[in-house]
């Protein structure tokens, strides 16, 4: 690679990294564990990657944790354009809507498109895999993405469950079933704690 | 592992993950790229892990990027107890002081000590390796930790360089020399931009 090609490549790499900074300003419905403020999607992504490192033994043996970590680092970048869609909003229906999915795919085109083509393709493939939620790596990543806000709600006194008047059955349906797919023992353990919160 | 052993292990894993949440409330001297507020160490750690994924081709071929990512996810956790020590504070001397290093080691004992012993040892070893800054992985991780605030300052109109009255020579000394150790071409490229900022 010539010096000028390296320069162009670095310009594209930093165009992406500087744009990614905006994820720190996207606010989620969930608060921090101490309830002091709403969490942003940048720090959420960090926490999830740390979840993957820490809870690796809860994954199926086929799961490659380093791929899960990379997936989780990228998974929310589309929210820079689309914002966070809270899982319990609109009676739990907004999250997987066709409108949301189309807007997110357009955002992925734009944001990963800032990168040099090889990296754009690599990152986009990881994001597509996460969204499709079919491979063992993606299923485990999805489980962690679902379990972290449950823990934040438990720690902070109910959080979005109170805000959106969520029932224990709705939590099982919208969240628990997805955690159980990628990390069944983890959901058993967490579910016992949510039961105690919903039926004290 | 019996069901009760798994329960105890998960309790320890979540004691660590819930404690880690506090890193989102540790503020750094550097602001976001848009200058809107100071960055916290949780979102900073996410951004650095994304730097590692994106700038992997700037690393020495011996570097294992997935280890670098793990190192960067953990590298600032000690700040939960110690706070962030800005690189340009106290004339650039506070950062590596013996007092700071002792306090950080104590914080590492406490925070990694929340984990089950096997994970505590694994995470602590990665943090020790980062701090020692000797292996290729640690040197590259350190380079990224130094280059990200330089980019934030460039994007936001000077940031901590203005606040701490930093000169171009001090930047070379305190920051550039360390970036160059792990990512020499990267520093060449960034340095040209910092020169243009300091000598417009
Ligand atoms: Ca740092």
């Amino acid at each position: 690679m010539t010096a000028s090609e390296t320069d162009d490549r670095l310009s594209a790499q930093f165009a992406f990294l500087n744009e990614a900074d905006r994820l720190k300003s996207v606010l989620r419905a969930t608060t921090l564990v101490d309830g002091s403020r709403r969490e942003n999607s940048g720090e959420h992504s960090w926490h999830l990657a740390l979840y993957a490192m820490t809870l690796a033994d809860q994954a199926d043996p086929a799961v490659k944790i380093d791929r899960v970590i990379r997936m989780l680092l990228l998974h929310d970048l589309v929210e820079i354009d689309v914002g966070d869609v809270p899982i319990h909003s609109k009676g739990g229906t907004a999250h997987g809507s066709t409108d949301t999915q189309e807007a997110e795919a357009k955002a992925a085109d734009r944001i990963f498109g800032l990168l040099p083509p090889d990296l754009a393709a690599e990152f986009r493939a990881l994001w597509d895999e996460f969204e499709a939620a079919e491979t063992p790596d993606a299923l485990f990543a999805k489980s962690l993405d679902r379990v972290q806000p449950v823990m934040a709600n438990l720690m902070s006194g109910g959080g979005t469950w109170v805000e959106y008047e969520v029932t224990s059955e709705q939590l099982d349906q919208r969240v628990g079933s997805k955690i159980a797919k990628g990390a069944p023992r983890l959901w058993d353990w967490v579910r016992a704690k949510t039961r105690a919160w919903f039926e004290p």
Side-chain angles (χ1 to χ4, degrees), chain A residues 64-83:
Chain A
K64 293 182 194 70
I65 292 297
D66 287 314
R67 290 191 80 243
V68 171
I69 290 172
R70 286 168 178 252
M71 237 178 239
L72 289 168
L73 292 171
L74 299 176
H75 84 291
D76 270 344
L77 280 171
V78 294
E79 294 182 359
I80 289 170
D81 289 355
V82 180

Side-chain angles (χ1 to χ4, degrees), chain A residues 98-173:
Chain A
T98 316
D99 279 4
T100 301
Q101 284 176 348
E102 279 173 13
E104 288 183 346
K106 218 174 129 187
D109 289 345
R110 184 186 75 76
I111 295 164
F112 296 126
L114 296 169
L115 286 161
D118 60 316
L119 286 174
E122 181 189 328
F123 289 13
R124 177 58 182 261
L126 274 173
W127 182 77
D128 284 340
E129 182 179 337
F130 176 82
E131 284 295 303
E134 286 166 358
T135 63
D137 291 355
L139 288 172
F140 187 62
K142 287 266 177 190
S143 294
L144 299 180
D145 191 28
R146 290 286 186 276
V147 86
Q148 187 255 10
V150 170
M151 197 49 58
N153 281 352
L154 280 172
M155 298 293 292
S156 65
T160 56
W161 300 333
V162 178
E163 190 177 351
Y164 292 108
E165 299 180 348
V166 176
T167 66
S168 180
E169 288 68 34
Q170 287 170 338
L171 185 71
D172 283 358
Q173 239 172 42

Side-chain angles (χ1 to χ4, degrees), chain A residues 16-84:
Chain A
F16 170 77
L17 288 170
N18 288 330
E19 181 68 14
D21 199 79
R22 295 175 59 200
L23 194 62
K24 302 169 188 170
S25 300
V26 174
L27 291 184
R28 295 165 45 78
T30 314
T31 68
L32 301 192
V33 159
D34 67 7
S36 58
R37 63 166 173 82
R38 288 168 68 193
E39 188 186 36
N40 74 58
S41 294
E43 63 200 5
H44 163 71
S45 300
W46 164 73
H47 207 182
L48 285 183
L50 199 63
Y51 264 62
M53 280 183 72
T54 306
L55 296 167
D57 62 350
Q58 292 295 324
D60 186 277
V63 169
K64 293 182 194 70
I65 292 297
D66 287 314
R67 290 191 80 243
V68 171
I69 290 172
R70 286 168 178 252
M71 237 178 239
L72 289 168
L73 292 171
L74 299 176
H75 84 291
D76 270 344
L77 280 171
V78 294
E79 294 182 359
I80 289 170
D81 289 355
V82 180
D84 177 58

